[in-house]
Amino acid sequence: MTLVPETMAGPVRVLVVGDAYMPAGIFTSALAGLGAAVAVTELQIGSTGAAAPRTDSERALREYVGNPADLGAAVPGHQVLVVHGAPVTAEILDAAPLRLVCCARGGPVNVDVAAATARGIPVTNAPGRNAEAVAELTLAFALMLIRGVPASARYLINGGQHADSVYEGREFIGSEASSMTLGLVGLGNVGSQVATRARALGFAVLGYDPAPPGAIPAGVTTVGFDELLSRSDVVSVHARATAGNQHLFGAAAFARMRPGAFFINTARESLVDEGALARALAGGALAGAALDVVERRPAGDRHPLLDLPNVIITPHIGGATHETLRRGALLCAAAVGRLVSGQVPDNLLNPGILARKEASS
């Protein structure tokens, strides 16, 4: 199937919108490979939070940064809109003869996809762009947990003396990967990457996916959820967050885990009942946890898990690598390249519009 381009003179006009996380120049660099086929305009939005929603379409967006009015003023005259976290609303879609919207993230929560579909505008995303980065952080967490890094580092921070002899490290004796079983809940892009790296380190790997996965990574033994919990020394969550799996990990799940096991969440905070996790950690049922995502606390309210000696918390850095940003930009550039050549872009979120276009042509 092809996406026949409209008759037009000159290059395709592309507006790239950068933000504090992903500067516009990264998009421009990726699009440079298309040469004279595109004319790129950059818009860099501010680093402040999103403006208060004013329209139904703005309220329909789950997360965005910047003021929709800035995009509305910049988009006229362009045929392609490329964003990372900037809002793409019905009003913005109506402000220009757009033929494609590209979002350089896996979940386009800042794009009103329904409004684009209603207007016949294709929308693409960038699935898996951060999978390698998140997988590497997950394995780093796993190794730090089984080697007792949280407690041993806090020991020094709290005034303990650095050991002069190997014997002084006896309080922090840990385990090696080859003696541990890693259970992965979710075997999508990230879970599969974790599995490959974990097997190389020597972990035995169990897998369970709430949604039927595609190909099972080599070396992974698939089991039921309860069996995974009871057999794993480390449980790591990589499932998609849905309405049906909110607090998938609550008191009952933690109680089914092996006593002294470790828990990792680099997926979504909604998957975990953090109160139940805190109780399992404080009571000794779990030996430690590492979290890259946690529930947002009221301003000035310190997260209680930060004060537990066997916990690592990072500020959502799982995908924060230069490679992730470039990968997302290149996926967007590839989508634009296919549009320019009259082909259907990959990673299309609303493919139904193509059938409508063909039926009406």
Side-chain angles (χ1 to χ4, degrees):
M1 183 182 293
T2 60
L3 186 63
V4 179
E6 299 169 8
T7 302
M8 56 187 212
V12 172
R13 296 180 295 279
V14 182
L15 175 64
V16 299
V17 186
D19 52 47
Y21 188 87
M22 189 165 182
I26 297 177
F27 290 122
T28 301
S29 177
L31 287 163
L34 299 179
V38 297
V40 179
T41 304
E42 290 187 3
L43 172 64
Q44 185 69 32
I45 60 177
S47 59
T48 55
R54 297 165 301 174
T55 69
D56 289 342
S57 184
E58 290 176 18
R59 283 186 284 271
L61 304 185
R62 203 170 79 206
E63 171 190 303
Y64 63 88
V65 62
N67 191 332
D70 294 336
L71 269 72
V75 75
H78 293 88
Q79 294 143 313
V80 175
L81 177 60
V82 180
V83 301
H84 172 256
V88 181
T89 65
E91 294 75 25
I92 291 166
L93 296 169
D94 288 336
L98 292 174
R99 293 170 47 206
L100 179 65
V101 173
C102 300
C103 182
R105 58 197 303 180
V109 294
N110 52 304
V111 178
D112 191 338
V113 177
T117 302
R119 289 157 176 77
I121 301 171
V123 179
T124 68
N125 66 338
R129 84 198 194 291
N130 65 352
E132 294 184 41
V134 177
E136 290 181 1
L137 181 66
T138 300
L139 266 297
F141 279 165
L143 293 174
M144 286 192 287
L145 288 172
I146 67 175
R147 290 301 305 274
V149 170
S152 60
R154 198 175 296 247
Y155 166 78
L156 294 177
I157 291 170
N158 291 338
Q161 296 300 306
H162 193 280
D164 294 323
S165 165
V166 67
Y167 296 103
E168 295 179 48
R170 64 187 178 275
E171 295 180 39
F172 306 109
I173 292 177
S175 299
E176 298 174 11
S178 60
S179 69
M180 308 295 280
T181 297
L182 173 64
L184 302 177
V185 179
L187 294 171
N189 288 321
V190 176
S192 295
Q193 294 280 353
V194 174
T196 299
R197 288 160 172 76
R199 292 290 298 139
L201 287 168
F203 283 99
V205 181
L206 303 178
Y208 163 78
D209 201 316
I216 303 299
V220 175
T221 301
T222 56
V223 295
F225 184 53
D226 287 351
E227 184 177 352
L228 181 144
L229 296 179
S230 65
R231 290 178 54 186
S232 299
D233 300 294
V234 183
V235 174
S236 186
V237 189
H238 305 285
R240 289 187 176 276
T242 67
N245 65 13
Q246 185 171 12
H247 287 185
L248 174 66
F249 280 87
F254 292 128
R256 290 196 294 271
M257 287 176 61
R258 178 177 293 182
F262 301 95
F263 178 75
I264 298 172
N265 183 18
T266 56
R268 287 289 181 265
E269 65 277 6
S270 64
L271 295 166
V272 179
D273 180 339
E274 291 177 2
L277 174 60
R279 290 188 291 274
L281 290 163
L286 298 183
L291 310 168
D292 188 45
V293 286
V294 293
E295 294 175 350
R296 185 176 295 276
R297 310 291 295 185
D301 186 2
R302 180 178 173 83
H303 200 291
L305 287 172
L306 285 169
D307 296 318
L308 294 181
N310 51 352
V311 174
I312 303 168
I313 298 181
T314 50
H316 202 46
I317 64 169
T321 66
H322 298 293
E323 294 81 0
T324 288
L325 300 184
R326 178 156 176 77
R327 207 173 287 121
L330 287 172
L331 286 168
C332 289
V336 176
R338 288 185 65 83
L339 175 78
V340 168
S341 65
Q343 301 300 306
V344 176
D346 293 326
N347 306 314
L348 196 60
L349 295 171
N350 50 357
I353 65 169
L354 301 181
R356 296 210 313 258
K357 286 178 181 290
E358 285 198 344
S360 61
S361 62

